[in-house]
Amino acid sequence: MAPKLTEVAERAGVSLSTASRAFNAPDRLGQATLARIIQAADEIGYGAARPAAVEQTATTVAVIVPDVGHTVFSQFVKSAQAQGWHRRQTVVLTDTDDSPDREREALGELQGRVDALVVCSPRLPAEDIVELAGDTPLVLVNRFSPDCDCVVADSEDGLRQAVDYLVALGHQHLAYVPGSPQSWSNERRLKAIKALCEERRVHLDLLGWQQETLAGGRAAAPGVMVTGASAVLTHNDPMAIGVMNGVRDMGLSVPDDLSIVGIDDSPLAQLTHPSLSSINVPLAKAGVISLDLVHQRAAEPAAPNREIHLPTQFVVRGSTGPARARGARPAGSTEA
């Protein structure tokens, strides 16, 4: 016996009249409800004509990242592309090379030419990005704005775990190597680590800004050692590995002379010797969620803006160990 409309309604969890409208007046239903009814009909083989309003159409999503060569951003892009494929979305990638000007230019060129924009770890202020996006649906990743959907990693909790672990190992003097002043994540991490150290009465030295690369970390290593800190946290894993290499250049060892903690928990963290303790920031998961938000926004364009928070986790490896005395604490802070 052929499936009936009542079975479609029951499977979709709607009334019979709502199920009927899906095939007779689809424009009177929300896209999410309409799609659910059509899916239920397809699953049981209901033979009514499929309404034109729910035929899948190609959606083009522009994904903008500051540096696709960074392993964390490449993971984000790969996950976003995989989810886009699942959602039948075409993902277009733009790398801004950490340049706010290139980011501005890319947004200006893409606005109106794509169906949605996903901007990960942008260098421009959020209000500028929202203005440049215009009417194009926008998802911000690692940046917050009340005017669009956002995905934010709660790095504060991972930093708390890392600082508490170091304190438990006897570290009372820490250093932090910051990232780009234009990075919103860097600003949040700076604020968090200052508060954490103040609450725990741990001395903190803030180093001057360096490039967020292996070379930047290596250049920061002498400054870290000059502070007398027994442990250092860096803005990302490449910088942490650079500090590790720089410490070795000086004839010192990790973690005996300096414990090192990175942020991101990139694949590089397990390839160093010793392996790098790092704070896991789930950007790969953020890639999936950002494309899901694009899909949901297309189905419900008038829905309230969504703010998704992702947890972070400190991962202990070989680059952190018990504190060893390295001379007297400096009289004043070297904050930059």
Side-chain angles (χ1 to χ4, degrees), residues 103-104 107-108 111 117 124 127-134:
E103 192 171 88
R104 185 182 299 278
L107 286 164
Q111 187 273 332
L117 293 161
L124 289 172
E127 55 269 25
D128 289 4
I129 300 170
V130 170
E131 182 179 354
L132 287 164

Side-chain angles (χ1 to χ4, degrees), residues 8-328:
V8 175
E10 182 178 356
R11 190 176 187 88
V14 299
S15 67
L16 180 60
S17 60
T18 299
S20 177
R21 278 196 292 272
F23 299 96
N24 300 313
D27 57 323
R28 296 178 59 189
L29 296 179
Q31 288 296 315
T33 301
L34 183 58
R36 190 166 76 249
I37 295 169
I38 298 308
Q39 181 178 353
D42 288 345
E43 288 172 354
I44 66 173
Y46 182 68
R50 185 182 180 92
V54 297
E55 290 295 332
Q56 289 186 337
T57 57
T59 300
T60 302
V61 182
V63 173
I64 301 174
V65 297
D67 180 9
V68 74
H70 191 304
T71 52
V72 170
F73 293 127
S74 63
Q75 286 180 307
F76 173 83
V77 170
K78 186 174 181 63
S79 296
Q81 287 183 322
Q83 190 66 359
W85 176 264
H86 173 71
R87 293 290 191 187
R88 298 298 186 265
Q89 298 161 323
T90 300
V91 175
V92 178
L93 173 64
T94 297
D95 182 336
T96 64
D97 199 26
D98 270 315
S99 167
D101 291 336
R102 286 183 64 170
E103 192 171 88
R104 185 182 299 278
E105 183 179 348
L107 286 164
E109 291 181 354
L110 291 166
Q111 187 273 332
R113 297 187 179 185
V114 295
D115 298 299
L117 293 161
V118 174
V119 187
C120 180
S121 297
R123 297 319 187 211
L124 289 172
E127 55 269 25
D128 289 4
I129 300 170
V130 170
E131 182 179 354
L132 287 164
D135 295 331
T136 304
L138 171 67
V139 177
L140 287 180
V141 180
N142 272 351
R143 181 67 63 94
F144 172 74
S145 170
D147 300 317
C148 65
D149 294 323
C150 301
V151 183
V152 179
D154 289 330
S155 57
E156 293 87 351
D157 195 46
L159 284 168
R160 176 192 56 78
Q161 296 168 35
V163 170
D164 284 348
Y165 181 77
L166 292 172
V167 170
L169 292 178
H171 296 276
Q172 288 296 311
H173 184 181
L174 307 182
Y176 179 68
V177 182
S180 168
Q182 297 162 333
S183 167
W184 184 73
S185 295
N186 179 65
E187 181 182 340
R188 291 182 69 202
R189 292 168 186 175
L190 270 172
K191 182 178 179 181
I193 197 169
K194 284 180 180 179
L196 287 164
C197 288
E198 183 176 348
E199 290 169 2
R200 289 152 182 76
R201 298 183 180 180
V202 173
H203 185 75
L204 174 68
D205 278 298
L206 302 179
L207 278 292
W209 172 78
Q210 298 285 353
Q211 290 186 346
E212 299 174 6
T213 61
L214 289 167
R218 198 171 208 140
V224 172
M225 302 310 294
V226 165
T227 67
S230 59
V232 62
L233 298 92
T234 67
H235 176 71
N236 64 17
D237 284 356
M239 297 180 83
I241 296 168
V243 171
M244 189 182 296
N245 293 337
V247 167
R248 286 176 177 158
D249 291 344
M250 291 180 275
L252 303 173
S253 65
V254 176
D256 290 343
D257 295 301
L258 182 72
S259 286
I260 301 177
V261 174
I263 301 178
D264 288 334
D265 192 30
S266 67
L268 295 174
Q270 299 186 57
L271 300 178
T272 62
H273 183 72
S275 55
L276 179 66
S277 295
S278 186
I279 298 168
N280 180 271
V281 179
L283 270 192
K285 186 175 182 180
V288 173
I289 292 173
S290 61
L291 270 290
D292 283 345
L293 287 173
V294 168
H295 178 79
Q296 293 168 20
R297 179 59 57 192
E300 301 178 85
N305 292 326
R306 301 166 176 87
E307 182 181 344
I308 309 297
H309 287 262
L310 302 178
T312 56
Q313 175 66 51
F314 178 51
V315 181
V316 179
R317 297 193 181 94
S319 67
T320 46
R324 291 177 58 182
R326 293 192 49 244

